Amino acid sequence: MMAGTDVVTISESEFEKFRDFFYRRTGILFTQSKRYYVDKRLLQRISAAGMESFEQYFMRLRRDAGEEIEQLINLFTVNETYFYREENQFGGLANHILPELTAHLAPGSRIRIWSLPCSTGEEPYSIALYLLENWPEIENYEVELLASDIDTRALSAARAGIYDARALHRLPRDVVRRYFVKLGEDQFRLSNTIRQAVSFSRVNASDPREMRAFEQIDVIFCRNMLIYFDDRARRRTVEAFYKSLHDGGFVCLGHSESMSRISPLFRVRPFPGAVVYQKAGG
């Protein structure tokens, strides 16, 4: 709505209207505790789009399924991450999950690992680096690394593979030396070999049609995304994971997330230092 001083503000009903619209598009549900965060960014987009009121901007959103909605999604998604975050799960992958999965596979078989949301690339690239450094069998199998996110800006940064020192602070120095080129005082570029090993794509995890494009996956890393969803969106996403996975495939969630509160489709598999979830019946 318009204030008397021509300052655009967001009313309670407008906040709820936008919240419902954004939820239907992304599965992300903003609570009242996020009100200031939402208003600030929404007003930023209204101004950038040259609109004079929320109503005018919202009409554009309803008509426009393209660039403006993409700008909004990029603005509202969170991309705070770094290399080797929650490293214990990478250890579980190399020391337990992959040996279990490959026990009955012939050399040369394909293994598909999917990182969602991949943000600016630190997680999928961490998987690649960790396996190269810690899984001796990697040369005996065709490891396919997939990475997806809803944020197109984050995906562009991921493909570029340029990071500051803070993003690399958990990596061993010899790993940084072998796989990164220093560009300046505080910038490093990941080697082409590692960047080309990961296939990036834009995916909306709350859209079953987009999720159906991914199948025969062995391991899914989905860490700290479901905490932004409500119960319905979580169940829908987990059901999509179930359909995407091979029998016996695994899902790695964030340390504060639990599959047991979402769906009975997966069973808990505790490994030293990490708890993961396996597709039931595997």
Side-chain angles (χ1 to χ4, degrees):
M1 63 182 291
M2 294 289 292
T5 57
D6 292 331
V7 175
V8 181
T9 59
I10 309 297
S11 70
E12 180 64 28
S13 63
E14 289 168 344
F15 169 76
E16 292 177 358
K17 183 185 293 186
F18 174 75
R19 180 186 64 183
D20 294 345
F21 173 83
F22 199 77
Y23 170 73
R24 291 194 301 271
R25 289 298 183 116
T26 67
I28 298 172
L29 182 65
F30 295 120
T31 61
Q32 277 291 338
S33 66
K34 296 289 186 180
R35 177 68 192 272
Y36 175 78
Y37 166 85
V38 172
D39 282 10
K40 182 179 179 181
R41 284 156 180 77
L42 184 55
L43 290 170
Q44 180 180 332
R45 284 311 308 162
I46 292 173
S47 175
M51 300 294 172
E52 297 181 352
S53 68
F54 172 85
E55 290 89 347
Q56 187 182 29
Y57 180 72
F58 194 70
M59 286 180 63
R60 174 177 175 178
L61 281 181
R62 295 288 297 272
R63 294 193 305 265
D64 176 17
E67 182 177 349
E68 182 56 35
I69 291 175
E70 182 176 303
Q71 292 280 357
L72 266 178
I73 290 172
N74 290 353
L75 192 63
F76 278 106
T77 48
V78 179
N79 297 303
E80 179 67 23
T81 186
Y82 49 85
F83 281 85
Y84 279 22
R85 184 179 185 179
E86 298 182 33
E87 183 180 346
N88 287 343
Q89 283 190 340
F90 301 139
L93 176 68
N95 299 322
H96 302 282
I97 293 174
L98 289 177
E100 182 172 319
L101 289 173
T102 58
H104 304 291
L105 292 179
S109 297
R110 184 178 65 173
I111 299 167
R112 306 190 86 198
I113 302 173
W114 186 19
S115 169
L116 170 77
C118 67
S119 186
T120 46
E122 287 90 336
E123 179 174 274
Y125 290 143
S126 289
I127 295 170
L129 294 174
Y130 197 91
L131 293 184
L132 283 169
E133 293 293 304
N134 298 280
W135 189 44
E137 294 295 309
I138 192 169
E139 298 297 334
N140 296 327
Y141 297 93
E142 179 188 346
V143 178
E144 183 177 355
L145 293 176
L146 310 174
S148 304
D149 204 284
I150 196 172
D151 187 335
T152 54
R153 184 176 51 190
L155 288 169
S156 294
R159 293 186 180 102
I162 298 174
Y163 301 96
D164 60 22
R166 186 202 60 80
L168 275 59
H169 77 277
R170 292 290 302 275
L171 288 175
R173 290 184 180 179
D174 58 337
V175 170
V176 174
R177 186 173 60 252
R178 280 197 293 272
Y179 299 105
F180 290 84
V181 174
K182 192 169 185 178
L183 300 179
E185 184 64 27
D186 191 45
Q187 280 197 321
F188 300 80
R189 174 181 282 132
L190 186 61
S191 72
N192 288 336
T193 301
I194 303 300
R195 283 189 283 133
Q196 292 170 3
V198 180
S199 176
F200 290 96
S201 62
R202 183 196 178 278
V203 170
N204 182 349
S206 70
D207 188 334
R209 293 170 300 177
E210 295 187 18
M211 296 291 281
R212 280 197 292 270
F214 293 82
E215 56 185 12
Q216 298 181 333
I217 306 295
D218 295 290
V219 184
I220 296 174
F221 278 80
C222 179
R223 305 194 296 183
N224 306 312
M225 179 181 78
L226 298 180
I227 57 176
Y228 297 101
F229 290 1
D230 69 351
D231 289 343
R232 181 181 178 185
R234 288 187 190 106
R235 286 193 297 270
R236 184 169 60 236
T237 303
V238 166
E239 287 168 2
F241 287 165
Y242 185 88
K243 294 174 183 176
S244 293
L245 285 166
H246 275 305
D247 288 343
F250 291 85
V251 174
C252 299
L253 298 180
H255 71 275
S256 64
E257 299 169 306
S258 173
M259 189 73 77
S260 61
R261 295 195 293 266
I262 303 172
S263 170
L265 295 173
F266 294 82
R267 60 192 177 101
V268 178
R269 290 294 308 277
F271 295 122
V275 174
V276 301
Y277 302 88
Q278 187 173 30
K279 182 173 178 177

